[in-house]
Amino acid sequence: MADNAIEIKNISKSFGKFKISDLSLSLPSGCIMGLIGENGAGKSTLIRLIMNASNTDSGEISVLGADNKSEGFISTKDDIGVVLDMPCFADNLKGRDIDRLMSGYYSRWSSERFLSLLERFEVDPDVRFYKLSKGMKMKLSIAAALSHDAKLLILDEPTSGLDPMVRDELLDILMEFTRDEERSVLISSHITSDLEKICDYIAFLHKGRLMLCDEKDMLLERYSVVKLSGQQLDELPKDSYIGARKGKYSCEVLMESSNIPEGFTKEHTTLEEIILFMARNEREAV
């Protein structure tokens, strides 16, 4: 088993005005990594690069120990389950048709598992794909990704369009999936509260740049939100905090917990707050 399910080294990709520059990150085997970023940050592009659906301009990507540009990567795909933000099964296919189709593509495909998940997700296997709602299409795609004993799941906005109950159930399934230390998950999502529940690692992309990549618990310990007055903010050196949010009666700043001056009170910090403060700081710096 490779130490890292995904290993990205110094990749770059440019098209139009958008570019990913010298990006490196690793997803340790047996872990869940959350990929966060605004629309257009490069999350879907990065997933396409990982799957070699788009060529990098430079750099290397290894998936489950295989170079993703090598001939051997074709057989490695048997161990990867992928769900894209736009489910892409043919419109006229029914769930049962997809079951038969996938059984010929994946060597360890389980019809029993697939149909059981469709039942669990309340997706009718006899309804054609184009007649399903967006949420139902996503649930069917997730069921397919979970039905061939994959070692790695790559999920692009899988909770989009799902109601809170189904989202919570999916998160439970992903945590069950990674109880086997050979199984790993890369999941992109705008719903940071979902990622905070299940992820071991967080990678934050902003306009093609990797702003941070670290263990989730370390991030939540490292950063704190501090409330202060407008005068206190004016007196605070700008290089002592990451970002600021000014209100009518008070202000908030994101700081490294170790840099908080005496007399200031730190608040409980969420992953969403860390990301929002960092993104705001980047916008203001431009």
mmCIF file of all heavy atoms in Angstrom, residues 1-8 25-33 50-51 61-68 73 76 79-80 150-154 177-178 180-186 201:
data_model
loop_
_atom_site.group_PDB
_atom_site.id
_atom_site.type_symbol
_atom_site.label_atom_id
_atom_site.label_comp_id
_atom_site.label_asym_id
_atom_site.label_seq_id
_atom_site.Cartn_x
_atom_site.Cartn_y
_atom_site.Cartn_z
ATOM 1 N N MET A 1 0.838 -1.198 0.000
ATOM 2 C CA MET A 1 0.000 0.000 0.000
ATOM 3 C C MET A 1 0.875 1.250 0.000
ATOM 4 O O MET A 1 1.814 1.363 0.787
ATOM 5 C CB MET A 1 -0.904 0.013 1.243
ATOM 6 C CG MET A 1 -1.823 1.229 1.330
ATOM 7 S SD MET A 1 -2.824 1.233 2.848
ATOM 8 C CE MET A 1 -1.571 1.555 4.084
ATOM 9 N N ALA A 2 0.591 2.192 -0.878
ATOM 10 C CA ALA A 2 1.350 3.441 -0.920
ATOM 11 C C ALA A 2 1.064 4.256 0.334
ATOM 12 O O ALA A 2 -0.035 4.228 0.882
ATOM 13 C CB ALA A 2 0.950 4.236 -2.165
ATOM 14 N N ASP A 3 2.100 4.996 0.811
ATOM 15 C CA ASP A 3 1.915 5.846 1.985
ATOM 16 C C ASP A 3 0.888 6.928 1.720
ATOM 17 O O ASP A 3 0.141 7.330 2.607
ATOM 18 C CB ASP A 3 3.247 6.482 2.392
ATOM 19 C CG ASP A 3 4.229 5.457 2.938
ATOM 20 O OD1 ASP A 3 3.770 4.407 3.420
ATOM 21 O OD2 ASP A 3 5.446 5.706 2.868
ATOM 22 N N ASN A 4 0.871 7.414 0.463
ATOM 23 C CA ASN A 4 -0.075 8.458 0.078
ATOM 24 C C ASN A 4 -0.995 7.952 -1.031
ATOM 25 O O ASN A 4 -0.519 7.408 -2.026
ATOM 26 C CB ASN A 4 0.660 9.700 -0.411
ATOM 27 C CG ASN A 4 1.445 10.380 0.701
ATOM 28 O OD1 ASN A 4 0.940 10.521 1.818
ATOM 29 N ND2 ASN A 4 2.663 10.800 0.416
ATOM 30 N N ALA A 5 -2.291 8.121 -0.832
ATOM 31 C CA ALA A 5 -3.248 7.728 -1.868
ATOM 32 C C ALA A 5 -3.113 8.636 -3.085
ATOM 33 O O ALA A 5 -3.235 8.195 -4.227
ATOM 34 C CB ALA A 5 -4.672 7.792 -1.314
ATOM 35 N N ILE A 6 -2.851 9.917 -2.841
ATOM 36 C CA ILE A 6 -2.601 10.890 -3.908
ATOM 37 C C ILE A 6 -1.370 11.688 -3.535
ATOM 38 O O ILE A 6 -1.233 12.154 -2.402
ATOM 39 C CB ILE A 6 -3.796 11.849 -4.101
ATOM 40 C CG1 ILE A 6 -5.059 11.086 -4.495
ATOM 41 C CG2 ILE A 6 -3.468 12.912 -5.162
ATOM 42 C CD1 ILE A 6 -6.306 11.968 -4.550
ATOM 43 N N GLU A 7 -0.471 11.844 -4.484
ATOM 44 C CA GLU A 7 0.728 12.654 -4.265
ATOM 45 C C GLU A 7 0.920 13.566 -5.468
ATOM 46 O O GLU A 7 1.125 13.091 -6.592
ATOM 47 C CB GLU A 7 1.938 11.760 -4.060
ATOM 48 C CG GLU A 7 3.145 12.496 -3.495
ATOM 49 C CD GLU A 7 4.189 11.555 -2.931
ATOM 50 O OE1 GLU A 7 3.828 10.469 -2.436
ATOM 51 O OE2 GLU A 7 5.377 11.919 -3.011
ATOM 52 N N ILE A 8 0.830 14.856 -5.229
ATOM 53 C CA ILE A 8 0.938 15.863 -6.289
ATOM 54 C C ILE A 8 2.200 16.678 -6.049
ATOM 55 O O ILE A 8 2.390 17.240 -4.967
ATOM 56 C CB ILE A 8 -0.291 16.781 -6.299
ATOM 57 C CG1 ILE A 8 -1.566 15.966 -6.565
ATOM 58 C CG2 ILE A 8 -0.147 17.892 -7.333
ATOM 59 C CD1 ILE A 8 -2.844 16.755 -6.399
ATOM 60 N N LEU A 25 0.590 18.730 -2.983
ATOM 61 C CA LEU A 25 -0.127 18.269 -1.786
ATOM 62 C C LEU A 25 -0.155 16.750 -1.791
ATOM 63 O O LEU A 25 0.031 16.106 -2.827
ATOM 64 C CB LEU A 25 -1.541 18.843 -1.689
ATOM 65 C CG LEU A 25 -2.616 18.483 -2.727
ATOM 66 C CD1 LEU A 25 -3.259 17.125 -2.440
ATOM 67 C CD2 LEU A 25 -3.705 19.542 -2.739
ATOM 68 N N SER A 26 -0.398 16.173 -0.615
ATOM 69 C CA SER A 26 -0.472 14.722 -0.476
ATOM 70 C C SER A 26 -1.678 14.351 0.365
ATOM 71 O O SER A 26 -1.967 15.008 1.372
ATOM 72 C CB SER A 26 0.793 14.170 0.179
ATOM 73 O OG SER A 26 1.928 14.411 -0.614
ATOM 74 N N LEU A 27 -2.376 13.289 -0.052
ATOM 75 C CA LEU A 27 -3.470 12.719 0.729
ATOM 76 C C LEU A 27 -2.977 11.398 1.301
ATOM 77 O O LEU A 27 -2.801 10.422 0.561
ATOM 78 C CB LEU A 27 -4.702 12.496 -0.150
ATOM 79 C CG LEU A 27 -5.819 11.614 0.437
ATOM 80 C CD1 LEU A 27 -6.334 12.179 1.753
ATOM 81 C CD2 LEU A 27 -6.958 11.457 -0.564
ATOM 82 N N PRO A 28 -2.714 11.324 2.619
ATOM 83 C CA PRO A 28 -2.248 10.068 3.212
ATOM 84 C C PRO A 28 -3.293 8.961 3.088
ATOM 85 O O PRO A 28 -4.502 9.221 3.158
ATOM 86 C CB PRO A 28 -2.015 10.435 4.687
ATOM 87 C CG PRO A 28 -1.820 11.925 4.681
ATOM 88 C CD PRO A 28 -2.726 12.428 3.588
ATOM 89 N N SER A 29 -2.838 7.748 2.890
ATOM 90 C CA SER A 29 -3.753 6.604 2.786
ATOM 91 C C SER A 29 -4.560 6.458 4.074
ATOM 92 O O SER A 29 -4.054 6.691 5.173
ATOM 93 C CB SER A 29 -2.963 5.322 2.529
ATOM 94 O OG SER A 29 -2.294 5.378 1.288
ATOM 95 N N GLY A 30 -5.822 6.108 3.910
ATOM 96 C CA GLY A 30 -6.702 5.907 5.053
ATOM 97 C C GLY A 30 -7.336 7.170 5.592
ATOM 98 O O GLY A 30 -8.005 7.140 6.627
ATOM 99 N N CYS A 31 -7.152 8.297 4.880
ATOM 100 C CA CYS A 31 -7.649 9.586 5.377
ATOM 101 C C CYS A 31 -8.660 10.206 4.411
ATOM 102 O O CYS A 31 -8.775 9.814 3.250
ATOM 103 C CB CYS A 31 -6.484 10.558 5.581
ATOM 104 S SG CYS A 31 -5.325 10.046 6.870
ATOM 105 N N ILE A 32 -9.390 11.192 4.929
ATOM 106 C CA ILE A 32 -10.330 11.980 4.128
ATOM 107 C C ILE A 32 -9.796 13.401 4.047
ATOM 108 O O ILE A 32 -9.521 14.026 5.071
ATOM 109 C CB ILE A 32 -11.736 11.997 4.752
ATOM 110 C CG1 ILE A 32 -12.294 10.584 4.888
ATOM 111 C CG2 ILE A 32 -12.686 12.849 3.895
ATOM 112 C CD1 ILE A 32 -13.647 10.511 5.583
ATOM 113 N N MET A 33 -9.620 13.895 2.821
ATOM 114 C CA MET A 33 -9.187 15.276 2.620
ATOM 115 C C MET A 33 -10.317 16.083 1.999
ATOM 116 O O MET A 33 -10.908 15.672 0.993
ATOM 117 C CB MET A 33 -7.952 15.353 1.723
ATOM 118 C CG MET A 33 -7.518 16.794 1.394
ATOM 119 S SD MET A 33 -6.017 16.877 0.367
ATOM 120 C CE MET A 33 -4.768 16.571 1.625
ATOM 121 N N ILE A 50 -5.875 15.136 -11.658
ATOM 122 C CA ILE A 50 -5.569 13.913 -10.908
ATOM 123 C C ILE A 50 -5.969 12.680 -11.715
ATOM 124 O O ILE A 50 -5.228 11.692 -11.767
ATOM 125 C CB ILE A 50 -6.285 13.926 -9.538
ATOM 126 C CG1 ILE A 50 -5.657 14.981 -8.610
ATOM 127 C CG2 ILE A 50 -6.221 12.543 -8.871
ATOM 128 C CD1 ILE A 50 -6.445 15.236 -7.344
ATOM 129 N N MET A 51 -7.116 12.744 -12.370
ATOM 130 C CA MET A 51 -7.619 11.610 -13.139
ATOM 131 C C MET A 51 -7.046 11.567 -14.556
ATOM 132 O O MET A 51 -7.417 10.708 -15.351
ATOM 133 C CB MET A 51 -9.144 11.645 -13.192
ATOM 134 C CG MET A 51 -9.816 11.393 -11.851
ATOM 135 S SD MET A 51 -9.318 9.811 -11.108
ATOM 136 C CE MET A 51 -9.876 8.643 -12.341
ATOM 137 N N ILE A 61 1.932 13.614 -10.834
ATOM 138 C CA ILE A 61 0.823 13.177 -9.994
ATOM 139 C C ILE A 61 0.855 11.661 -9.893
ATOM 140 O O ILE A 61 0.902 10.954 -10.907
ATOM 141 C CB ILE A 61 -0.543 13.625 -10.562
ATOM 142 C CG1 ILE A 61 -0.618 15.154 -10.643
ATOM 143 C CG2 ILE A 61 -1.686 13.086 -9.691
ATOM 144 C CD1 ILE A 61 -1.893 15.679 -11.287
ATOM 145 N N SER A 62 0.853 11.164 -8.664
ATOM 146 C CA SER A 62 0.800 9.728 -8.405
ATOM 147 C C SER A 62 -0.502 9.412 -7.679
ATOM 148 O O SER A 62 -0.868 10.104 -6.723
ATOM 149 C CB SER A 62 2.000 9.310 -7.551
ATOM 150 O OG SER A 62 1.901 7.956 -7.159
ATOM 151 N N VAL A 63 -1.207 8.381 -8.153
ATOM 152 C CA VAL A 63 -2.482 7.969 -7.542
ATOM 153 C C VAL A 63 -2.403 6.489 -7.193
ATOM 154 O O VAL A 63 -2.136 5.659 -8.072
ATOM 155 C CB VAL A 63 -3.664 8.228 -8.498
ATOM 156 C CG1 VAL A 63 -4.983 7.879 -7.801
ATOM 157 C CG2 VAL A 63 -3.691 9.684 -8.960
ATOM 158 N N LEU A 64 -2.561 6.181 -5.916
ATOM 159 C CA LEU A 64 -2.437 4.802 -5.427
ATOM 160 C C LEU A 64 -1.123 4.165 -5.876
ATOM 161 O O LEU A 64 -1.067 2.999 -6.253
ATOM 162 C CB LEU A 64 -3.640 3.961 -5.885
ATOM 163 C CG LEU A 64 -5.017 4.426 -5.376
ATOM 164 C CD1 LEU A 64 -6.120 3.558 -5.979
ATOM 165 C CD2 LEU A 64 -5.072 4.374 -3.855
ATOM 166 N N GLY A 65 -0.091 4.975 -5.868
ATOM 167 C CA GLY A 65 1.245 4.492 -6.200
ATOM 168 C C GLY A 65 1.582 4.460 -7.671
ATOM 169 O O GLY A 65 2.707 4.112 -8.041
ATOM 170 N N ALA A 66 0.633 4.833 -8.545
ATOM 171 C CA ALA A 66 0.869 4.789 -9.997
ATOM 172 C C ALA A 66 0.943 6.198 -10.578
ATOM 173 O O ALA A 66 0.133 7.068 -10.236
ATOM 174 C CB ALA A 66 -0.254 4.016 -10.686
ATOM 175 N N ASP A 67 1.914 6.415 -11.449
ATOM 176 C CA ASP A 67 1.994 7.670 -12.200
ATOM 177 C C ASP A 67 0.730 7.772 -13.052
ATOM 178 O O ASP A 67 0.413 6.874 -13.832
ATOM 179 C CB ASP A 67 3.238 7.636 -13.091
ATOM 180 C CG ASP A 67 3.456 8.933 -13.859
ATOM 181 O OD1 ASP A 67 2.468 9.644 -14.139
ATOM 182 O OD2 ASP A 67 4.606 9.228 -14.195
ATOM 183 N N ASN A 68 0.002 8.876 -12.911
ATOM 184 C CA ASN A 68 -1.290 8.964 -13.601
ATOM 185 C C ASN A 68 -1.159 9.138 -15.116
ATOM 186 O O ASN A 68 -2.170 9.127 -15.831
ATOM 187 C CB ASN A 68 -2.166 10.072 -13.001
ATOM 188 C CG ASN A 68 -1.769 11.470 -13.441
ATOM 189 O OD1 ASN A 68 -0.609 11.734 -13.790
ATOM 190 N ND2 ASN A 68 -2.726 12.386 -13.410
ATOM 191 N N PHE A 73 -1.829 3.208 -15.151
ATOM 192 C CA PHE A 73 -2.898 3.956 -14.494
ATOM 193 C C PHE A 73 -4.273 3.497 -14.968
ATOM 194 O O PHE A 73 -5.260 3.647 -14.253
ATOM 195 C CB PHE A 73 -2.721 5.452 -14.740
ATOM 196 C CG PHE A 73 -3.681 6.305 -13.949
ATOM 197 C CD1 PHE A 73 -3.696 6.259 -12.564
ATOM 198 C CD2 PHE A 73 -4.572 7.151 -14.596
ATOM 199 C CE1 PHE A 73 -4.583 7.040 -11.829
ATOM 200 C CE2 PHE A 73 -5.458 7.942 -13.876
ATOM 201 C CZ PHE A 73 -5.466 7.893 -12.490
ATOM 202 N N THR A 76 -5.270 0.978 -12.623
ATOM 203 C CA THR A 76 -5.448 1.604 -11.304
ATOM 204 C C THR A 76 -6.842 2.201 -11.173
ATOM 205 O O THR A 76 -7.408 2.247 -10.067
ATOM 206 C CB THR A 76 -4.388 2.700 -11.080
ATOM 207 O OG1 THR A 76 -3.089 2.115 -11.151
ATOM 208 C CG2 THR A 76 -4.550 3.369 -9.731
ATOM 209 N N ASP A 79 -9.592 0.802 -9.080
ATOM 210 C CA ASP A 79 -9.583 1.013 -7.632
ATOM 211 C C ASP A 79 -10.058 2.403 -7.236
ATOM 212 O O ASP A 79 -9.950 2.791 -6.068
ATOM 213 C CB ASP A 79 -8.168 0.793 -7.078
ATOM 214 C CG ASP A 79 -7.716 -0.651 -7.175
ATOM 215 O OD1 ASP A 79 -8.568 -1.538 -6.988
ATOM 216 O OD2 ASP A 79 -6.516 -0.881 -7.448
ATOM 217 N N ILE A 80 -10.556 3.171 -8.211
ATOM 218 C CA ILE A 80 -10.964 4.551 -7.945
ATOM 219 C C ILE A 80 -12.453 4.732 -8.256
ATOM 220 O O ILE A 80 -12.925 4.344 -9.320
ATOM 221 C CB ILE A 80 -10.149 5.548 -8.798
ATOM 222 C CG1 ILE A 80 -8.647 5.342 -8.580
ATOM 223 C CG2 ILE A 80 -10.541 6.989 -8.457
ATOM 224 C CD1 ILE A 80 -7.778 6.160 -9.524
ATOM 225 N N ALA A 150 -13.764 0.189 -4.193
ATOM 226 C CA ALA A 150 -12.682 1.130 -4.513
ATOM 227 C C ALA A 150 -11.779 1.359 -3.302
ATOM 228 O O ALA A 150 -12.214 1.241 -2.156
ATOM 229 C CB ALA A 150 -13.272 2.454 -4.990
ATOM 230 N N LYS A 151 -10.541 1.722 -3.580
ATOM 231 C CA LYS A 151 -9.605 2.092 -2.518
ATOM 232 C C LYS A 151 -9.526 3.602 -2.351
ATOM 233 O O LYS A 151 -9.027 4.098 -1.340
ATOM 234 C CB LYS A 151 -8.212 1.531 -2.833
ATOM 235 C CG LYS A 151 -8.143 0.013 -2.804
ATOM 236 C CD LYS A 151 -6.739 -0.471 -3.148
ATOM 237 C CE LYS A 151 -6.673 -1.996 -3.153
ATOM 238 N NZ LYS A 151 -5.315 -2.495 -3.547
ATOM 239 N N LEU A 152 -9.984 4.311 -3.376
ATOM 240 C CA LEU A 152 -9.950 5.773 -3.343
ATOM 241 C C LEU A 152 -11.232 6.322 -3.951
ATOM 242 O O LEU A 152 -11.627 5.919 -5.043
ATOM 243 C CB LEU A 152 -8.741 6.294 -4.145
ATOM 244 C CG LEU A 152 -8.668 7.807 -4.403
ATOM 245 C CD1 LEU A 152 -8.499 8.573 -3.096
ATOM 246 C CD2 LEU A 152 -7.518 8.135 -5.373
ATOM 247 N N LEU A 153 -11.879 7.232 -3.232
ATOM 248 C CA LEU A 153 -13.036 7.955 -3.757
ATOM 249 C C LEU A 153 -12.626 9.398 -4.029
ATOM 250 O O LEU A 153 -11.996 10.041 -3.180
ATOM 251 C CB LEU A 153 -14.197 7.943 -2.758
ATOM 252 C CG LEU A 153 -14.839 6.599 -2.425
ATOM 253 C CD1 LEU A 153 -15.972 6.808 -1.426
ATOM 254 C CD2 LEU A 153 -15.354 5.914 -3.681
ATOM 255 N N ILE A 154 -12.986 9.885 -5.208
ATOM 256 C CA ILE A 154 -12.763 11.289 -5.568
ATOM 257 C C ILE A 154 -14.132 11.880 -5.875
ATOM 258 O O ILE A 154 -14.775 11.496 -6.859
ATOM 259 C CB ILE A 154 -11.811 11.417 -6.769
ATOM 260 C CG1 ILE A 154 -10.438 10.827 -6.422
ATOM 261 C CG2 ILE A 154 -11.672 12.875 -7.187
ATOM 262 C CD1 ILE A 154 -9.431 10.861 -7.560
ATOM 263 N N PHE A 177 -16.394 4.028 5.184
ATOM 264 C CA PHE A 177 -15.526 3.628 4.078
ATOM 265 C C PHE A 177 -14.051 3.677 4.479
ATOM 266 O O PHE A 177 -13.268 2.791 4.133
ATOM 267 C CB PHE A 177 -15.796 4.552 2.882
ATOM 268 C CG PHE A 177 -14.945 4.286 1.673
ATOM 269 C CD1 PHE A 177 -15.283 3.292 0.770
ATOM 270 C CD2 PHE A 177 -13.816 5.058 1.420
ATOM 271 C CE1 PHE A 177 -14.504 3.054 -0.358
ATOM 272 C CE2 PHE A 177 -13.029 4.832 0.302
ATOM 273 C CZ PHE A 177 -13.378 3.821 -0.593
ATOM 274 N N THR A 178 -13.655 4.727 5.223
ATOM 275 C CA THR A 178 -12.239 4.899 5.552
ATOM 276 C C THR A 178 -11.842 4.219 6.861
ATOM 277 O O THR A 178 -10.710 4.411 7.330
ATOM 278 C CB THR A 178 -11.877 6.399 5.630
ATOM 279 O OG1 THR A 178 -12.784 7.067 6.520
ATOM 280 C CG2 THR A 178 -11.951 7.041 4.253
ATOM 281 N N ASP A 180 -11.313 1.209 6.902
ATOM 282 C CA ASP A 180 -10.270 0.379 6.307
ATOM 283 C C ASP A 180 -9.114 1.316 5.951
ATOM 284 O O ASP A 180 -9.280 2.247 5.161
ATOM 285 C CB ASP A 180 -10.813 -0.320 5.055
ATOM 286 C CG ASP A 180 -9.798 -1.255 4.412
ATOM 287 O OD1 ASP A 180 -8.583 -1.026 4.579
ATOM 288 O OD2 ASP A 180 -10.224 -2.205 3.723
ATOM 289 N N GLU A 181 -7.934 1.093 6.541
ATOM 290 C CA GLU A 181 -6.814 2.013 6.371
ATOM 291 C C GLU A 181 -6.275 2.071 4.947
ATOM 292 O O GLU A 181 -5.436 2.912 4.623
ATOM 293 C CB GLU A 181 -5.692 1.649 7.341
ATOM 294 C CG GLU A 181 -6.066 1.896 8.801
ATOM 295 C CD GLU A 181 -4.920 1.621 9.747
ATOM 296 O OE1 GLU A 181 -3.827 1.241 9.253
ATOM 297 O OE2 GLU A 181 -5.107 1.789 10.959
ATOM 298 N N GLU A 182 -6.729 1.165 4.078
ATOM 299 C CA GLU A 182 -6.304 1.214 2.678
ATOM 300 C C GLU A 182 -7.235 2.080 1.838
ATOM 301 O O GLU A 182 -7.016 2.227 0.642
ATOM 302 C CB GLU A 182 -6.239 -0.200 2.099
ATOM 303 C CG GLU A 182 -5.110 -1.049 2.676
ATOM 304 C CD GLU A 182 -4.881 -2.321 1.891
ATOM 305 O OE1 GLU A 182 -5.631 -2.555 0.924
ATOM 306 O OE2 GLU A 182 -3.951 -3.070 2.238
ATOM 307 N N ARG A 183 -8.273 2.625 2.446
ATOM 308 C CA ARG A 183 -9.253 3.416 1.698
ATOM 309 C C ARG A 183 -9.129 4.890 2.048
ATOM 310 O O ARG A 183 -8.968 5.258 3.212
ATOM 311 C CB ARG A 183 -10.664 2.924 2.002
ATOM 312 C CG ARG A 183 -10.948 1.528 1.458
ATOM 313 C CD ARG A 183 -12.315 1.077 1.897
ATOM 314 N NE ARG A 183 -12.719 -0.170 1.250
ATOM 315 C CZ ARG A 183 -13.844 -0.812 1.525
ATOM 316 N NH1 ARG A 183 -14.668 -0.324 2.442
ATOM 317 N NH2 ARG A 183 -14.145 -1.928 0.888
ATOM 318 N N SER A 184 -9.240 5.732 1.016
ATOM 319 C CA SER A 184 -9.055 7.173 1.192
ATOM 320 C C SER A 184 -10.117 7.926 0.400
ATOM 321 O O SER A 184 -10.717 7.385 -0.535
ATOM 322 C CB SER A 184 -7.654 7.591 0.711
ATOM 323 O OG SER A 184 -6.669 6.700 1.195
ATOM 324 N N VAL A 185 -10.327 9.186 0.770
ATOM 325 C CA VAL A 185 -11.342 10.007 0.105
ATOM 326 C C VAL A 185 -10.804 11.414 -0.124
ATOM 327 O O VAL A 185 -10.226 12.024 0.780
ATOM 328 C CB VAL A 185 -12.637 10.113 0.961
ATOM 329 C CG1 VAL A 185 -13.662 11.023 0.263
ATOM 330 C CG2 VAL A 185 -13.239 8.736 1.222
ATOM 331 N N LEU A 186 -10.979 11.920 -1.347
ATOM 332 C CA LEU A 186 -10.790 13.339 -1.647
ATOM 333 C C LEU A 186 -12.163 13.883 -1.995
ATOM 334 O O LEU A 186 -12.797 13.407 -2.947
ATOM 335 C CB LEU A 186 -9.828 13.531 -2.821
ATOM 336 C CG LEU A 186 -9.625 14.992 -3.270
ATOM 337 C CD1 LEU A 186 -8.903 15.794 -2.189
ATOM 338 C CD2 LEU A 186 -8.841 15.058 -4.581
ATOM 339 N N TYR A 201 -7.913 16.030 6.803
ATOM 340 C CA TYR A 201 -7.076 17.082 6.223
ATOM 341 C C TYR A 201 -7.949 18.051 5.432
ATOM 342 O O TYR A 201 -8.992 17.671 4.889
ATOM 343 C CB TYR A 201 -6.011 16.499 5.282
ATOM 344 C CG TYR A 201 -4.923 15.731 5.981
ATOM 345 C CD1 TYR A 201 -5.117 14.405 6.362
ATOM 346 C CD2 TYR A 201 -3.694 16.321 6.269
ATOM 347 C CE1 TYR A 201 -4.124 13.693 7.020
ATOM 348 C CE2 TYR A 201 -2.686 15.623 6.917
ATOM 349 C CZ TYR A 201 -2.913 14.307 7.292
ATOM 350 O OH TYR A 201 -1.926 13.602 7.945
#
